[in-house]
Amino acid sequence: CDHAGDVLRRPKWFHISYVAHQRLLMSQLTERNQYEPKENDSSSSDIEYYCSPSRHYLAAAETTLILHNELKLRFVRNEEKIDVIAPSFVGGLAQPNILDQLKAEKEKDHLSLALDYVQRALQLFKDESSRPKQKMATARSNIRMLFIAGKIAMMKEKLDLAATYLQNAFIDSSEWIPVKVSVGKVLIECLTRLGDDPLRSRVVSDLLFNSRTQQFMSQED
């Protein structure tokens, strides 16, 4: 392939940027053209799951967050000096000049975009959960969305918002103890930074003095 060398020289963020764009595109398409399940169709539940707009918005949020972290690493390594004229992906809208695309990505607030996407996922999830015979809307999916929203809010120093998301995730995860422990640790960190000592103490007590959670706590905890 004539462009094999260019493909190999493309930095990791370039590929993640493409995936993030496609994730957002799928989110918008599935939201505008929501699947209506058919009665007595055994494949409906699978199609509902894979065509769930909340699922795709969550994926868009996660990929955008990965892109944010990758760009931070690459700027440290001065990869912004790369200037390669590379062909776009088939069907892609990327600029042919990688340096131009990097400058465009650098101007974006990826954390705000990721938070917007996951908040949209949570809104759509409520609608999906209210549908009859809806199998894809599970409690675990909601916990994951709340947790990611809380983590992103913490990264943006929106600690009140983060605490709200994480506290809801902590409450909803009571049936999945390993998940509850993981969420609880992040919630404690958030409340410590927020200065909410009373709530922090209650969460700590819930984790340390609960026989179900103790087995998932390390000595360092």
Side-chain angles (χ1 to χ4, degrees), residues 46-124:
D46 290 337
I47 297 175
E48 280 186 280
Y49 175 77
Y50 289 111
C51 293
S52 161
S54 68
R55 179 175 180 268
H56 286 288
Y57 269 107
L58 177 60
E62 291 181 289
T63 309
T64 303
L65 184 58
I66 293 171
L67 177 59
H68 165 79
N69 293 330
E70 181 63 23
L71 285 170
K72 288 179 62 177
L73 290 175
R74 291 302 173 257
F75 288 144
V76 170
R77 298 176 183 175
N78 294 321
E79 276 198 24
E80 65 269 26
K81 296 180 180 179
I82 294 176
D83 187 3
V84 179
I85 304 301
S88 299
F89 292 95
V90 175
L93 300 177
Q95 300 181 46
N97 189 304
I98 291 183
L99 183 59
D100 288 343
Q101 186 173 346
L102 178 60
K103 290 178 180 177
E105 289 291 353
K106 190 175 181 180
E107 293 174 355
K108 297 178 182 177
D109 185 349
H110 292 98
L111 286 181
S112 292
L113 290 173
L115 185 57
D116 288 343
Y117 298 156
V118 72
Q119 287 176 328
R120 185 57 184 153
L122 284 164
Q123 292 173 354
L124 290 166

Side-chain angles (χ1 to χ4, degrees), residues 5 124 165 185:
L124 290 166
Y165 283 131
K185 292 178 181 179

Side-chain angles (χ1 to χ4, degrees), residues 167 170-171 180 184 187-188 191 196-210 213:
Q167 188 176 4
F170 184 72
I171 294 171
K180 180 177 181 177
L187 176 56
I188 290 171
L191 295 173
D196 191 337
D197 294 331
L199 181 55
R200 178 185 178 278
S201 297
R202 290 199 296 272
V203 175
V204 170
S205 298
D206 192 358
L207 291 178
L208 292 181
F209 301 108
N210 186 325
T213 59

Side-chain angles (χ1 to χ4, degrees), residues 10-25 63 67 87-94 101 105 108:
R10 290 173 181 171
K12 186 176 179 181
W13 66 262
F14 182 85
H15 298 275
I16 300 173
S17 174
Y18 172 78
V19 174
H21 174 79
Q22 296 302 313
R23 295 287 194 189
L24 178 58
L25 181 61
T63 309
L67 177 59
S88 299
F89 292 95
V90 175
L93 300 177
Q101 186 173 346
E105 289 291 353
K108 297 178 182 177

